Amino acid sequence: MKQIIKNKTTLLALILLLGFFLRFYSLGAESFWLDEGATGLAIKKYSPLEIIQNVREKGQILPDYYAHNDDLPAYYVLLSFWSKFFGTDEFALRAFSAAFGFLSILLVFYIGMELFDPKTALLSSFLASINLTLLWYSQEARQYIFLLFLSLFSVLMLFKYLKAQKSRFLAGLFISNALIVYSQFSWIIFLCFEGIYILYVSYSNFVKHKKIYWQLLALFLVLALLYIPIIGKAIFSKTDTVRLYGRPDIRQFAEFGIRLVTWMYPSEPMRQKIYEFSFAKFSLFEWLLLLSTAALLLLMMAFFLIGFAKLFQNRNIFLFILLMMVFPILFALTVSFLHPIINLFSIKQVIYVIPAFIFAVSFGILSTKKAKTIVAAVILLSALPVFSYYANPDKQQIREISQYIPADEPVFLNIRSAQVVYKYYSGEKENINGVTSVDELKNKLKDKNDFWVILTFTKYSDPKGNIKDYLSRNYMLSEKKTYFDVEALHYKTAAP
């Protein structure tokens, strides 16, 4: 028995070491992208108290830049305190997420121990440590991996309370869920899942032992009351994500399914070949990357189906996995089809379904006689996608552009949110402006004979290229600088 415990501890330590390395390696190498820029500028500009005040009065962490009212303060307040000790650069702000991403691996292990056995718990934590979607959000200065940690901690506290009914577990459950309530509106889906599961176990316990978990039910009633001040903003959000992303379609379904398992981060030349369907021009490495990603996806999906089917033999575990994974996906889909402007169907909004998926995959793999071979195949197939994640840029290189353009020259960005990340790097200067249309740009260009225009995220901001077309017809292009997914164009008034 001692040897078993020793081996389990050693394997867990190695998994945690791997997870720590993957989450902190090259953490500050890439520029902040648009959404991270909003986080960075808010933390630079406002104190924790001012963040709370901005959200309470205007529903926004950056009210000077955004009109919608869908921000909540908990993540930003905690990150602001973190920044007092560690700073506000890319590494420091992303390290907050990386730390919670690392701790989430440990929570996956402990939940696996509650649901299954040491082998399943260890394999689940290993798969979580190398999951590229969890890794990506662990290296992003946004709230999603922090919320994943809170979700997993809440689930663990729930299991502990159901076993022992001790007040410290109830307190942990309440604190984690209270932070969830005031961190992200879409996490109401998670609380609904957890509430339904609690109703189920309460009913089952009443049928078997004539006992109801009154304290647990009261806790969720209090959590529901916490939603009262903010539920209106959640339902009547002004953020039109349907306009940006459309209703869920085949492409979004495919992306969601792939991101449960992995993702592919190709080089810029490979991206271009994919966009042009020029697969005949692929190099050997590019073919290996594509095929290993596809094979990993098929392998993991197959063992998810095997594991999910075998879990049916244990009704309690099957129901928990079903509720934690299938219920949030169906909920997000329903809202995305019925709500006039909100599309919630993206993996980041229900990221806690990934651990549920991983539990089923691990159970499926370990139910076969060739589990070691399959795990070795997973490791082998994961190598190139993980390597490409670190080797290739995936975030708009606004930092590099801001360092290239002279500080005092007029700069116009073709999407308003891009000015936020640009100002994070360059300071809040009046010569930096975001625009949303040709007409708005025309008004701002009055009396401007020499200026820069930065084009990024054009598929959302200017898919038809109207801004660039207008500039090419009315101004002279004197300089062009291109970085990943960012194009800086220097224009001057054309000679008469």
Side-chain angles (χ1 to χ4, degrees):
M1 179 62 71
K2 288 182 179 180
Q3 186 63 35
I4 293 173
I5 294 173
K6 183 179 179 180
N7 290 341
K8 181 183 73 174
T9 304
T10 301
L11 285 172
L12 179 60
L14 291 173
I15 290 168
L16 291 174
L17 184 63
L18 173 65
F20 183 89
F21 171 77
L22 291 176
R23 278 150 184 78
F24 281 89
Y25 176 72
S26 196
L27 191 58
E30 287 201 66
S31 166
F32 278 157
W33 71 289
L34 274 59
D35 286 1
E36 287 184 297
T39 300
L41 187 60
I43 300 303
K44 270 189 171 183
K45 188 174 181 178
Y46 298 114
S47 69
L49 187 60
E50 288 171 331
I51 289 172
I52 293 173
Q53 187 175 350
N54 285 341
V55 172
R56 182 174 60 84
E57 295 178 357
K58 301 174 183 178
Q60 253 298 322
I61 56 168
L62 286 172
D64 294 337
Y65 296 97
Y66 295 97
H68 52 80
N69 62 340
D70 59 355
D71 277 339
L72 290 169
Y75 163 78
Y76 301 102
V77 168
L78 293 174
L79 183 59
S80 182
F81 282 117
W82 170 279
S83 71
K84 305 300 181 189
F85 297 95
F86 300 103
T88 59
D89 63 13
E90 297 94 340
F91 186 95
L93 295 184
R94 286 174 179 158
F96 185 78
S97 295
F100 282 106
F102 166 73
L103 292 173
S104 295
I105 300 170
L106 189 60
L107 291 179
V108 167
F109 172 79
Y110 283 124
I111 293 172
M113 289 290 289
E114 294 290 330
L115 289 172
F116 302 101
D117 53 64
K119 284 186 177 181
T120 308
L122 284 168
L123 181 54
S124 297
S125 59
F126 171 71
L127 294 179
S129 73
I130 63 172
N131 182 280
L132 274 180
T133 301
L134 298 183
L135 180 54
W136 200 94
Y137 285 107
S138 293
Q139 294 199 318
E140 184 187 53
R142 297 294 287 167
Q143 65 266 47
Y144 303 107
I145 212 71
F146 167 69
L147 283 160
L148 172 67
F149 168 83
L150 292 177
S151 303
L152 294 175
F153 186 79
S154 174
V155 166
L156 182 61
M157 291 298 99
L158 174 59
F159 285 155
K160 294 288 188 182
Y161 179 79
L162 291 174
K163 274 189 175 181
Q165 281 91 58
K166 292 185 178 179
S167 57
R168 65 176 182 269
F169 300 133
L170 199 67
L173 182 63
F174 177 77
I175 292 170
S176 57
N177 280 330
L179 287 171
I180 286 172
V181 170
Y182 288 104
S183 290
Q184 180 79 358
F185 288 116
S186 62
W187 249 251
I188 193 172
I189 304 175
F190 172 81
L191 292 176
C192 286
F193 134 69
E194 206 171 41
I196 292 170
Y197 184 74
I198 286 171
L199 289 174
Y200 164 74
V201 295
S202 294
Y203 174 76
S204 298
N205 195 57
F206 178 76
V207 170
K208 292 178 182 178
H209 307 292
K210 304 300 178 184
K211 181 181 177 182
I212 297 176
Y213 296 117
W214 288 113
Q215 288 181 311
L216 207 53
L217 295 174
L219 181 147
F220 266 76
L221 177 61
V222 173
L223 289 173
L225 294 175
L226 290 180
Y227 261 111
I228 290 177
I230 61 174
I231 194 65
K233 291 181 180 180
I235 297 172
F236 303 107
S237 172
K238 295 179 182 179
T239 305
D240 193 346
T241 50
V242 168
R243 181 182 62 82
L244 288 175
Y245 308 120
R247 300 292 181 187
D249 55 20
I250 295 298
R251 181 190 60 79
Q252 290 185 33
F253 276 99
E255 180 177 333
F256 191 98
I258 297 169
R259 285 193 179 273
L260 285 172
V261 179
T262 185
W263 194 245
M264 191 169 68
Y265 297 90
S267 63
E268 290 189 70
M270 185 178 177
R271 287 173 191 265
Q272 192 60 37
K273 293 172 189 175
I274 293 172
Y275 294 150
E276 296 172 354
F277 293 94
S278 301
F279 298 104
K281 297 180 181 178
F282 270 19
S283 67
L284 176 61
F285 177 85
E286 290 168 345
W287 272 117
L288 288 174
L289 175 58
L290 179 63
L291 293 175
S292 62
T293 303
L296 180 63
L297 174 66
L298 293 174
L299 184 67
M300 295 281 278
M301 285 295 182
F303 280 99
F304 165 74
L305 294 174
I306 292 170
F308 197 64
K310 288 183 176 294
L311 282 173
F312 191 74
Q313 299 169 12
N314 187 318
R315 187 174 65 178
N316 288 336
I317 297 177
F318 177 81
L319 181 64
F320 173 78
I321 298 296
L322 183 72
L323 285 174
M324 189 174 182
M325 183 174 176
V326 179
F327 173 80
I329 293 174
L330 292 178
F331 193 119
L333 274 172
T334 302
V335 171
S336 300
F337 279 118
L338 297 181
H339 198 284
I341 64 171
I342 291 178
N343 181 353
L344 290 178
F345 190 64
S346 65
I347 195 70
K348 65 183 180 181
Q349 301 290 0
V350 289
I351 196 170
Y352 44 85
V353 306
I354 294 178
F357 172 82
I358 285 173
F359 287 135
V361 170
S362 300
F363 190 74
I365 290 174
L366 293 172
S367 67
T368 68
K369 294 180 180 179
K370 296 184 178 180
K372 290 183 179 179
T373 303
I374 295 162
V375 172
V378 169
I379 294 171
L380 183 63
L381 292 172
S382 298
L384 285 183
V386 171
F387 171 79
S388 67
Y389 169 77
Y390 291 106
N392 301 315
D394 194 62
K395 295 178 173 68
Q396 294 78 23
Q397 294 178 311
I398 302 290
R399 175 183 61 197
E400 289 76 4
I401 287 288
S402 69
Q403 292 169 350
Y404 179 79
I405 296 176
D408 297 324
E409 294 194 12
V411 177
F412 300 95
L413 301 102
N414 69 317
I415 180 169
R416 279 186 177 172
S417 53
Q419 72 175 314
V420 173
V421 64
Y422 197 95
K423 288 182 177 180
Y424 165 83
Y425 287 112
S426 299
E428 291 188 278
K429 301 174 183 177
E430 292 184 1
N431 62 304
I432 302 168
N433 290 277
V435 297
T436 57
S437 66
V438 171
D439 289 338
E440 187 177 1
L441 180 60
K442 283 181 183 179
N443 290 331
K444 292 182 180 293
L445 285 179
K446 291 177 180 178
D447 302 322
K448 297 287 191 305
N449 299 318
D450 190 318
F451 58 90
W452 289 82
V453 172
I454 297 175
L455 304 176
T456 186
F457 252 67
T458 51
K459 64 180 179 180
Y460 298 118
S461 58
D462 189 22
K464 295 182 180 179
N466 294 328
I467 289 176
K468 192 172 183 179
D469 181 60
Y470 166 77
L471 292 169
S472 65
R473 287 186 284 106
N474 293 276
Y475 295 89
M476 180 177 66
L477 180 64
S478 64
E479 188 179 355
K480 178 179 177 180
K481 190 70 175 178
T482 301
Y483 289 94
F484 178 76
D485 204 25
V486 182
E487 190 176 32
L489 306 172
H490 188 192
Y491 286 99
K492 294 183 178 181
T493 304

